Amino acid sequence: MATSMKYIATLLCRVSPLISYSVRQYQSRLQRLPARTCLSLSPFIHPRHSYCKAASLQDEAVAQATEALARYKDRPWDYLESEEYIERYGSNPVWADYRRNHKGGIPPQKTRKTCIRGDKICGNPCPICRDPNIIIHHQNVKLLQQFISPHTGMVLDSTRTGVCMKQQKKLNEAVNTAQDHGLLPFQIPYVEFSGEDYSNSHDAVGSTPPPSSLTLGDNWYKWYGEILPDENEVAKVKKTYRAYLK
């Protein structure tokens, strides 16, 4: 019994340095790796057998997003009829559940200029920038109708929808193009004209009377002969052009 206990103690003394060395290697690897990079490293697993689940899941998400973007890039209006859109938005407009982030209780009079600058996206992007499948196009009529007032027929202001200024400019251009192509109706104000606007009885549009007979030396306008020029002004003009009056 004493011999077996001695043997076990000797074996533990030999194995403990290996365990501590592997633990130190595992901690040093974790310090060198960035956060959220690897979740399955273990000091008892060989480095060649270690793998990263977070990286693989991130790659799969990027691949799915790229596939979805390519799917709706050529036909963005198909996204509004897909199950993914109905599950996310239902029958509400895309800007219905959006809330702007701002300081204080009164929101600013203008939205931000853009939500995406290069590869960086702001913390709370607008309703269009937050969903990459929503693409503004003049043929995407269902999307454009969500941003048009049913009462006035004009594009809703960005302070109500929360759309950034860059996407608001694209919306205005797409709506104008769709109206020019006949895809969206536009309202023309009705003006009721009276008969007096087209009559030729008043002097402004009536027939011109024939000119009166004039004799030599008479003026065309009667009031023109009654105007007498100032003698001082006449003297100045004669002095200025005296070289030409000789």
Side-chain angles (χ1 to χ4, degrees), residues 98-114:
Y98 179 76
R99 295 295 179 269
R100 297 169 60 190
N101 290 343
H102 55 82
K103 295 181 180 179
I106 301 176
Q109 297 181 357
K110 292 183 179 180
T111 57
R112 64 173 65 92
K113 292 184 178 180
T114 180

Side-chain angles (χ1 to χ4, degrees), residues 221-234:
Y221 301 102
K222 296 179 180 180
W223 53 266
Y224 190 77
E226 300 176 357
I227 298 177
L228 297 176
D230 189 5
E231 295 180 358
N232 295 331
E233 297 295 334
V234 173

Side-chain angles (χ1 to χ4, degrees), residues 143-179:
L143 177 64
L144 299 180
Q145 287 177 346
Q146 297 180 7
F147 294 90
I148 297 177
S149 174
H151 308 288
T152 60
M154 301 176 63
V155 180
L156 296 173
D157 192 71
S158 58
T159 55
R160 180 178 178 183
T161 59
V163 179
C164 62
M165 297 175 65
K166 182 178 180 180
Q167 299 294 345
Q168 183 72 12
K169 184 178 179 181
K170 291 183 179 180
L171 274 172
N172 294 331
E173 294 177 355
V175 169
N176 292 334
T177 306
Q179 291 177 352

Side-chain angles (χ1 to χ4, degrees), residues 12 26-27 41 55 63 104 115 119 133 140 144 146 148 164 170 174-175 178 183 188 192 201 209 212 227 240-241:
L12 288 174
Y26 171 69
Q27 292 177 353
L41 288 177
C115 301
D119 297 335
N133 295 326
N140 198 353
L144 299 180
Q146 297 180 7
I148 297 177
C164 62
K170 291 183 179 180
V175 169
L183 301 176
I188 300 176
E192 185 177 358
S201 59
S212 59
I227 298 177
T240 304
Y241 298 100

Side-chain angles (χ1 to χ4, degrees), residues 56-226:
S56 61
L57 293 176
Q58 186 176 6
D59 294 341
E60 291 179 1
V62 171
Q64 292 178 359
T66 306
E67 183 182 357
L69 287 175
R71 188 192 317 162
Y72 301 114
K73 184 177 181 180
D74 297 332
R75 297 175 60 88
W77 47 88
D78 291 344
Y79 174 65
L80 275 75
E81 300 178 356
S82 62
E83 296 181 357
E84 181 182 359
Y85 175 84
I86 296 174
E87 182 179 357
R88 181 171 183 178
Y89 301 102
S91 59
N92 300 323
V94 295
W95 52 268
D97 58 343
Y98 179 76
R99 295 295 179 269
R100 297 169 60 190
N101 290 343
H102 55 82
K103 295 181 180 179
I106 301 176
Q109 297 181 357
K110 292 183 179 180
T111 57
R112 64 173 65 92
K113 292 184 178 180
T114 180
C115 301
I116 303 174
R117 298 180 184 272
D119 297 335
K120 296 181 179 179
I121 304 177
C122 66
N124 185 26
C126 70
I128 296 179
C129 295
R130 67 181 177 181
D131 193 347
N133 295 326
I134 296 178
I135 301 174
I136 298 176
H137 195 272
H138 68 274
Q139 294 182 357
N140 198 353
V141 179
K142 290 186 177 181
L143 177 64
L144 299 180
Q145 287 177 346
Q146 297 180 7
F147 294 90
I148 297 177
S149 174
H151 308 288
T152 60
M154 301 176 63
V155 180
L156 296 173
D157 192 71
S158 58
T159 55
R160 180 178 178 183
T161 59
V163 179
C164 62
M165 297 175 65
K166 182 178 180 180
Q167 299 294 345
Q168 183 72 12
K169 184 178 179 181
K170 291 183 179 180
L171 274 172
N172 294 331
E173 294 177 355
V175 169
N176 292 334
T177 306
Q179 291 177 352
D180 293 340
H181 292 184
L183 301 176
L184 284 176
F186 57 93
Q187 299 178 0
I188 300 176
Y190 174 74
V191 178
E192 185 177 358
F193 297 97
S194 60
E196 297 179 356
D197 298 332
Y198 298 96
S199 64
N200 56 357
S201 59
H202 51 87
D203 298 337
V205 295
S207 59
T208 305
S212 59
S213 59
L214 298 176
T215 59
L216 186 60
D218 294 341
N219 297 320
W220 179 269
Y221 301 102
K222 296 179 180 180
W223 53 266
Y224 190 77
E226 300 176 357

